[in-house]
Amino acid sequence: MFESTTRKIKVEVHPSYVREHSDPAQSYYYFEYKVRIINGGETPVQLVRRHWIIKDAFGEMEEVAGDGVVGVQPLLKPGESFEYSSFCPLSTPTGSMQGKYYMKSSYGEEIEVEIPLFILS
């Protein structure tokens, strides 16, 4: 597990290689990752945007940004958590991901929450 905490908002990531969806002969490696976001603060926060940096074993970089995660913009009250799963195909057997979630507090303040660097292997 990989984790980071920004202003009492904790992000935990569990990546895994999915052999049955991969085809190494075609340089296609499929990785799944499960994310858990925990609001340890005193005010509600809403995840409004995300920004990912994905690198393969050759250092080739791809950036992915958009609204919410998996089609939703979850609101986390103090003490609540949100979990989701997603995937990342690579053309190399190893790589990495990291990024930021952009959250909005109940006061309208934007908070940049670090997504920890995690290894895909």
Side-chain angles (χ1 to χ4, degrees):
M1 176 178 70
F2 299 83
E3 64 179 62
S4 65
T5 302
T6 306
R7 294 182 55 183
K8 298 186 180 180
I9 300 167
K10 185 176 188 179
V11 178
E12 300 174 345
V13 185
H14 299 268
S16 59
Y17 174 65
V18 184
R19 186 179 315 277
E20 58 271 16
H21 292 308
S22 299
D23 187 354
Q26 298 296 316
S27 295
Y28 184 81
Y29 302 87
Y30 188 94
F31 298 93
E32 180 179 85
Y33 56 94
K34 296 178 182 178
V35 178
R36 183 173 183 220
I37 305 164
I38 305 150
N39 182 3
E42 291 84 39
T43 61
V45 292
Q46 183 173 20
L47 193 161
V48 292
R49 294 182 293 120
R50 73 195 182 289
H51 179 242
W52 288 101
I53 298 170
I54 304 163
K55 291 183 182 177
D56 68 12
F58 299 120
E60 293 293 321
M61 186 173 80
E62 178 184 358
E63 295 190 56
V64 177
D67 293 336
V69 290
V70 293
V72 297
Q73 294 179 318
L75 176 66
L76 287 82
K77 295 177 183 170
E80 288 186 339
S81 65
F82 176 78
E83 296 182 38
Y84 73 95
S85 295
S86 193
F87 65 93
C88 177
L90 290 178
S91 60
T92 59
T94 61
S96 68
M97 291 179 69
Q98 68 185 78
K100 292 185 182 191
Y101 292 128
Y102 295 90
M103 300 193 156
K104 188 171 278 190
S105 76
S106 58
Y107 302 111
E109 175 189 14
E110 185 172 88
I111 303 166
E112 289 185 12
V113 175
E114 293 293 325
I115 302 168
L117 172 71
F118 59 95
I119 305 303
L120 303 170
S121 178

